[in-house]
């Protein structure tokens, strides 16, 4: 019984410190996640004139002429991607300049320009920037966000353990005080949302800094469980619309590159030997690739047109069902379909995250997905608030009022095993544990030396 109580106290102490220090960051991530959850609905209203409007011009021009007009209107910018969106959405050009700035330009059914956007200030990109990197970005911040997600999983696991081992679910005689009520509500709500919240966190980790790279490297190194190998040259540009499972795949080369050699082009759209975009779109139709899809220009003479349908593009009007994902490569000179990789070619890991990411973003199965994610996020915010209330109810003025420190005993072994398992599954969490252990050791040695010198 003494060991069980000690084990409970260990969990309580670590749960307390984790909650105190990462709760502010978790609140930020959860609120921004809710904001991003409804980005398609918000953008459909905010940008209605761009998404569905028209230019009031009756003359129809070719898609290639539309590109020329866009590059003429926005001096210094060139079209890098074309997003042929779903249903009644206007087609979108993604334009970049030499400084790396981007614009979105929309064209109507006549291929006339409707309007443009600065990509950095769109609702979806603002919410994404806040949720993934707190607007700051950089390796340290990205790791901090991932670390908060990892510790959130520990908070949920330790909270569920304490709920079942403590007396929270047991009927208690007498009048309950505020702290007991908050504790019960905190425990019940946390236990109910523990599994869905862990799923939400894990399905978001493919985009994380360290674990995301580990997941993707594993998927590439083990095609049987991840994504298929393609004998291709590396892609030359970073492409958001390409599905997660094939985003870093090497793309095949165009067979006629050397036959049409005329020197390196800064923008392959200016290569006179390439087929036109209109011709490519005809080839796409012949290959039975229906919209929505994105087209990425080749960025070298032996590059290819990359045409993809993804379930996690982050673009309003461009997402498809996971089993419809496909990335196709077309020769830039002949328009011939060279190769393609689709959902059916993915391994278990690739398929899991192809379904997991849209589940995380809330568009896997329509409005029910959004509502479930919203309720889980609101419940998570609520248990954080109740946690602070519980702390406030028992906090002594001028003191942190942390749970008592428990000396190591036999019960500590089980706790260590849990931490090791979580550390293996989540490498950054494991690294943070090593840092904490070193700090604890230094503090312990300092206190020991201080006491011995007295």
């Amino acid at each position: 019984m003494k060991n069980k109580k000690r084990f409970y106290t260990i969990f309580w102490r670590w749960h307390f410190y984790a909650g105190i220090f990462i709760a502010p960051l978790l609140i930020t991530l959860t609120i921004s996640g809710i904001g991003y959850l409804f980005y398609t609905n918000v953008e459909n209203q905010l940008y209605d004139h761009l998404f569905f409007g028209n230019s009031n011009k009756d003359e129809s021009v070719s898609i290639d002429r539309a590109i020329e007009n866009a590059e003429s209107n926005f001096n210094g910018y060139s079209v890098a991607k074309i997003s042929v969106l779903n249903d009644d959405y206007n087609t979108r050009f993604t334009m970049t300049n030499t400084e790396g700035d981007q614009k979105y330009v929309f064209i109507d059914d006549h291929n006339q320009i409707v309007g443009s956007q600065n990509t950095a200030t769109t609702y979806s990109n603002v919410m994404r920037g806040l949720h993934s990197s707190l607007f700051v970005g950089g390796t340290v911040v990205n790791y901090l966000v991932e670390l908060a997600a990892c510790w959130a999983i520990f908070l949920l696991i330790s909270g569920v353990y304490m709920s079942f081992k403590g007396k929270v679910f047991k009927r208690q005689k007498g009048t309950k005080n505020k702290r007991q009520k908050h504790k019960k509500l905190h425990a019940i709500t946390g236990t109910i949302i523990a599994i869905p919240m862990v799923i939400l966190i894990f399905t978001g980790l493919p985009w994380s800094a360290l674990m995301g790279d580990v997941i993707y490297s594993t998927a590439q190194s083990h095609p049987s469980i991840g994504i298929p190998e393609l004998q291709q040259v590396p892609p030359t540009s970073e492409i958001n619309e390409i599905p997660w499972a094939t985003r870093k795949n090497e793309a095949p080369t165009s067979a006629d590159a050397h036959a049409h050699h005329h020197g390196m082009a800064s923008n392959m759209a200016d290569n006179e030997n390439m087929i036109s975009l209109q011709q490519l779109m005809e080839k796409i139709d012949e290959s039975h690739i229906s919209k929505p899809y994105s087209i990425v220009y080749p960025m070298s003479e032996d590059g290819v047109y990359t045409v993809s349908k993804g379930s996690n593009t982050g673009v309003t009007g461009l997402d498809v069902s996971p089993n419809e994902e496909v990335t196709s490569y077309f020769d830039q000179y002949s328009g011939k379909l060279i190769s393609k990789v689709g959902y059916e070619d993915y391994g278990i890991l690739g398929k899991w995250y192809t379904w997991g990411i849209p589940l995380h973003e809330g568009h896997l199965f329509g409005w029910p997905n959004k509502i479930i994610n919203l309720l889980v996020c609101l419940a998570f915010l609520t248990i954080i608030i109740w946690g602070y209330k519980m702390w406030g109810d028992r906090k002594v003025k001028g003191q942190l009022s942390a749970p008592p420190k428990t000396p190591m005993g036999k019960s500590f072994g089980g706790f260590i095993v849990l931490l090791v398992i979580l550390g293996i599954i989540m490498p950054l969490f494991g690294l943070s544990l090593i840092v904490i252990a070193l700090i604890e050791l230094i503090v312990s040695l300092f206190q020991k030396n201080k006491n011995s010198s007295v």
Side-chain angles (χ1 to χ4, degrees):
M1 185 64 69
K2 188 177 180 180
N3 282 340
K4 288 182 179 180
K5 187 176 181 181
R6 181 181 293 173
F7 201 14
Y8 180 94
T9 306
I10 292 171
F11 265 106
W12 182 22
R13 185 175 176 83
W14 280 60
H15 185 89
F16 170 82
Y17 279 119
I20 288 294
F21 292 117
I22 71 167
L25 184 53
L26 290 179
I27 291 172
T28 303
L29 293 176
T30 305
I31 292 175
S32 61
I34 292 173
Y36 187 74
L37 184 64
F38 295 95
Y39 81 89
T40 55
N41 310 95
V42 173
E43 290 196 331
N44 281 337
Q45 298 299 318
L46 282 180
Y47 313 131
D48 174 81
H49 61 295
L50 294 174
F51 287 2
F52 309 106
N54 58 70
S55 61
N56 296 320
K57 293 182 180 179
D58 295 328
E59 180 190 3
S60 293
V61 299
S62 68
I63 188 75
D64 297 282
R65 179 62 183 276
I67 291 173
E68 292 176 6
N69 291 340
E71 293 179 341
S72 175
N73 285 2
F74 301 97
N75 188 36
Y77 285 83
S78 60
V79 175
K81 292 177 281 190
I82 299 94
S83 299
V84 183
L85 303 175
N86 208 356
D87 301 326
D88 298 325
Y89 286 94
N90 289 327
T91 295
R92 188 184 84 172
F93 297 156
T94 300
M95 305 186 71
T96 61
N97 63 13
T98 54
E99 284 76 38
D101 300 321
Q102 285 192 336
K103 285 184 180 296
Y104 295 146
V105 176
F106 295 86
I107 60 172
D108 61 17
D109 290 339
H110 298 296
N111 292 330
Q112 298 284 4
I113 296 175
V114 176
S116 65
Q117 289 178 311
N118 180 348
T119 62
T121 58
T122 63
Y123 178 83
S124 58
N125 286 339
V126 168
M127 284 294 107
R128 189 183 296 115
L130 176 60
H131 187 65
S132 62
S133 58
L134 307 178
F135 288 139
V136 179
T139 303
V140 174
V141 174
N142 291 338
Y143 278 16
L144 182 63
V145 170
E146 181 179 348
L147 192 59
C150 294
W151 274 95
I153 291 176
F154 172 79
L155 277 172
L156 290 163
I157 293 174
S158 57
V160 170
Y161 171 82
M162 289 189 295
S163 296
F164 282 101
K165 287 295 182 181
K167 298 180 180 179
V168 178
F169 295 138
K170 295 179 181 178
R171 288 190 176 183
Q172 298 179 8
K173 296 179 180 180
T175 305
K176 295 180 182 178
N177 56 35
K178 278 187 177 180
R179 181 167 171 255
Q180 288 175 326
K181 289 179 180 179
H182 290 152
K183 185 177 181 180
K184 188 163 187 176
L185 291 170
H186 179 85
I188 292 173
T189 308
T191 302
I192 291 172
I193 70 162
I195 293 177
M197 194 66 201
V198 168
I199 291 174
L200 274 182
I201 294 171
F202 266 112
T203 50
L205 286 176
W207 298 117
S208 62
L210 180 61
M211 193 169 176
D213 284 342
V214 171
I215 292 169
Y216 198 88
S217 297
T218 303
Q220 281 199 313
S221 302
H222 302 85
S224 60
I225 64 169
I227 57 176
E229 287 183 286
L230 295 175
Q231 300 300 319
Q232 306 148 353
V233 296
T236 53
S237 60
E238 193 70 24
I239 305 159
N240 289 333
E241 282 84 349
I242 286 182
W244 177 87
T246 58
R247 180 160 299 180
K248 297 182 183 178
N249 276 7
E250 297 179 344
T253 61
S254 291
D256 300 328
H258 298 292
H260 298 282
H261 182 75
H262 65 84
M264 181 61 69
S266 59
N267 183 344
M268 294 308 295
D270 297 329
N271 184 347
E272 61 183 13
N273 295 304
M274 290 170 59
I275 64 169
S276 68
L277 190 63
Q278 186 64 51
Q279 290 173 316
L280 173 66
M281 293 177 74
E282 290 172 3
K283 295 290 185 180
I284 292 171
D285 289 338
E286 291 173 9
S287 301
H288 305 291
I289 299 174
S290 60
K291 66 178 187 179
Y293 57 80
S294 65
I295 302 171
V296 180
Y297 276 108
M299 297 298 288
S300 63
E301 287 194 331
D302 62 351
V304 294
Y305 279 111
T306 303
V307 179
S308 63
K309 296 165 69 74
S311 65
N312 47 77
T313 66
V315 177
T316 301
L318 193 59
D319 289 327
V320 298
S321 174
N323 54 18
E324 294 179 37
E325 271 203 3
V326 63
T327 303
S328 305
Y329 305 102
F330 290 81
D331 189 290
Q332 65 171 295
Y333 303 106
S334 67
K336 178 183 178 182
L337 175 61
I338 300 174
S339 64
K340 67 178 181 178
V341 56
Y343 173 80
E344 66 277 4
D345 300 310
Y346 301 167
I348 294 174
L349 187 59
K351 287 180 177 178
W352 164 250
Y353 282 105
T354 299
W355 285 88
I357 293 171
L359 175 68
H360 180 88
E361 294 181 342
H363 56 83
L364 180 60
F365 47 91
W367 271 100
N369 193 169
K370 293 181 186 293
I371 297 302
I372 291 171
N373 286 19
L374 174 63
L375 292 176
V376 171
C377 288
L378 291 176
F380 190 58
L381 289 173
T382 303
I383 63 175
I384 292 175
I385 293 171
W386 276 329
Y388 273 113
K389 280 186 172 291
M390 288 160 54
W391 176 45
D393 290 341
R394 69 180 182 81
K395 187 179 182 301
V396 178
K397 189 175 181 180
Q399 297 181 21
L400 185 60
S401 299
K405 188 173 182 179
T406 306
M408 293 187 184
K410 291 181 180 180
S411 63
F412 200 74
F415 183 71
I416 291 293
V417 170
L418 173 65
L419 295 182
V420 169
I421 292 172
L422 292 177
I424 293 173
I425 296 173
M426 301 177 291
L428 198 59
F429 177 78
L431 291 173
S432 71
L433 293 177
I434 294 173
V435 173
I436 292 172
L438 290 174
I439 293 174
E440 286 274 5
L441 179 61
I442 292 171
V443 171
S444 179
L445 290 174
F446 177 78
Q447 289 179 340
K448 186 175 181 181
N449 290 334
K450 186 178 180 179
N451 292 333
S452 61
S453 61
V454 174

